[in-house]
Amino acid sequence: MPRQEAEQATTDISEVAPGILRMQLPLHMPGLGHVNCYAMEDERGYTLVDPGMPGPQPWKVLLDRFQQAGFGLRNVHSVVVTHSHIDHFGASGRLREQAGARVITSRSFRTWWDPTDKGELELEAVDGDTDIEVPPDPRRPWNQTTPWGGKHPRPPLKARVRYRLMKPLRKQWFATPSPSVRLADAEVIELGKREWVAVHTPGHTPDHLCLFDPAGGVLLSGDHVLPTITPHISGIDAGPDPLSAFFASLEKVAEFEGVTLALPAHGHPFDDLRGRVKDIERHHEERLARLREATSDLGEGTVEHLSQRLFRQRSWGPMAESETYAHLEHLRLSGQVTREEKDGTLLYSLG
């Protein structure tokens, strides 16, 4: 079944709710063909939500979308970033610098290079590759082994080479978000002639932010609730039980009364929020059941081996292992499986 989130961006500008425009920006990421940038007008100009990737070509597309929608860069006064993934915050720093826009995030928003927040990336050799970009975070995540003893997820070689070639332009085209407004959970902010309630929804990332307009029944759901896929739940740097946090965040938004429209960061707007939440919860419960069955069959298994029981072969690798680890830790913390470490590798068994 085709996934909405993988559809390629179109140039269509549509009013998805009164005063809210949807603009699709191109993405080239596994399983994703676009990110939705929403624009909301008020008497001062426009607020954008998730303005997409950094770089000269994404910037050109973004400005073209502004022109199609009937406004310009100078009209942008605010940018909402739903979470700390680059396809959502990538252009926000440049909008801050070029348009003077304030950047609005959750209180817990952070990027790899915090707390210095200088936006500088370094080059060094990793695993035999030379001169590839890695974040200057003291944790050096791409250089470390994972908690389960496998390779750390990182961008594919093609992307790393492209970023390296763009190094001379990096300072010109990439600026860190440097949020000017950090919203606490349940804090109210007026944007686009609507009063939005900040909703902290950790799970996909610890700093994920949704915005809810109770009067209009609109939820800006970011990556938290997507129409045909579930967001990646990482087992790295996301707390001891990110899946439990994700479940709690799903129930949190499902309890809102009067939601008539969800505006996701990828895919098309949809109306049955509670139904979609139940589908996503069911999907993860099925994965947990499959892992319990796999640990029973194997007696004990590594995260790598168990991930291959959970994912199709085309998806095998560090990302699949990261999500498998998050699910296994959820099972372990609830007393359903046990783990032990042998030679730096974690082994899981049915409890």
Side-chain angles (χ1 to χ4, degrees):
M1 176 181 178
R3 304 298 189 183
Q4 293 181 17
E5 296 82 357
E7 294 175 4
Q8 297 301 301
T10 73
T11 58
D12 295 341
I13 308 291
S14 56
E15 187 175 31
V16 291
I20 303 179
L21 302 178
R22 176 195 181 202
M23 304 180 289
Q24 301 171 56
L25 306 175
L27 278 184
H28 303 286
M29 292 183 169
L32 298 175
H34 67 277
V35 60
N36 293 322
C37 176
Y38 297 102
M40 302 183 286
E41 185 179 13
D42 59 24
E43 62 281 350
R44 295 174 49 219
Y46 284 83
T47 296
L48 303 180
V49 180
D50 287 345
M53 297 287 285
Q57 185 57 29
W59 183 255
K60 180 179 183 300
V61 171
L62 186 62
L63 296 184
D64 287 345
R65 296 291 193 271
F66 292 171
Q67 185 176 28
Q68 287 177 263
F71 64 92
L73 177 62
R74 62 183 177 82
N75 302 116
V76 178
H77 62 73
S78 299
V79 181
V80 175
V81 175
T82 58
H83 62 290
S84 54
H85 285 167
I86 199 166
D87 54 320
H88 299 263
F89 75 76
S92 62
R94 187 160 176 81
L95 285 163
R96 172 175 48 81
E97 292 184 348
Q98 296 292 313
R102 58 180 181 163
V103 176
I104 302 166
T105 68
S106 73
R107 177 171 286 180
S108 54
F109 180 89
R110 66 180 296 275
T111 53
W112 272 337
W113 42 85
D114 281 347
T116 58
D117 197 33
K118 295 184 182 300
E120 294 294 327
L121 298 177
E122 295 180 358
L123 296 174
E124 68 177 46
V126 180
D127 293 339
D129 294 328
T130 58
D131 292 333
I132 65 170
E133 295 179 326
V134 296
D137 186 279
R139 293 169 298 161
R140 301 276 190 207
W142 290 350
N143 285 345
Q144 292 183 352
T145 57
T146 60
W148 60 90
K151 290 184 177 180
H152 200 290
R154 57 178 176 163
L157 178 60
K158 184 177 179 180
R160 302 197 306 267
V161 170
R162 183 172 68 251
Y163 295 152
R164 179 174 183 266
L165 293 175
M166 289 177 62
K167 182 185 176 184
L169 300 175
R170 192 170 60 218
K171 290 184 178 179
Q172 177 184 355
W173 290 105
F174 182 76
T176 53
S178 297
S180 42
V181 178
R182 291 179 178 266
L183 297 175
D185 187 48
E187 188 172 347
V188 177
I189 186 169
E190 185 173 346
L191 301 166
K193 300 181 181 178
R194 296 169 182 258
E195 287 194 339
W196 299 92
V197 179
V199 187
H200 286 194
T201 48
H204 176 52
T205 62
D207 58 11
H208 197 284
L209 172 71
C210 294
L211 291 178
F212 177 45
D213 167 24
V218 178
L219 178 74
L220 286 158
S221 65
D223 277 4
H224 180 51
V225 185
L226 297 169
T228 62
I229 64 173
T230 181
H232 175 66
I233 306 301
S234 173
I236 300 174
D237 195 28
D241 191 353
L243 185 58
S244 182
F246 184 52
F247 281 148
S249 296
L250 287 172
E251 286 301 310
K252 185 177 183 178
V253 298
E255 289 174 359
F256 291 156
E257 296 291 339
V259 178
T260 57
L261 182 66
L263 301 179
H266 311 280
H268 305 303
F270 57 97
D271 53 13
D272 185 9
L273 176 67
R274 288 180 177 172
R276 183 59 192 144
V277 164
K278 294 303 179 186
D279 288 343
I280 293 171
E281 289 175 334
R282 190 179 306 113
H283 167 80
H284 286 283
E285 292 292 353
E286 289 171 353
R287 284 191 165 179
L288 292 169
R290 287 169 63 189
L291 281 174
R292 287 193 295 267
E293 180 182 353
T295 53
S296 177
D297 291 345
L298 293 172
E300 64 177 14
T302 65
V303 170
E304 179 182 4
H305 289 152
L306 289 167
S307 74
Q308 293 173 5
R309 299 287 291 269
L310 201 59
F311 289 89
R312 296 176 181 175
Q313 185 171 356
R314 67 188 182 192
S315 300
W316 291 356
M319 290 288 285
E321 292 170 22
S322 176
E323 181 140 342
T324 301
Y325 175 71
H327 284 69
L328 286 166
E329 284 299 289
H330 180 77
L331 290 173
R332 183 183 70 84
L333 291 168
S334 61
Q336 300 179 66
V337 301
T338 60
R339 78 179 190 194
E340 62 176 326
E341 182 178 343
K342 290 183 179 179
D343 300 324
T345 299
L346 296 182
L347 297 171
Y348 288 84
S349 306
L350 196 64

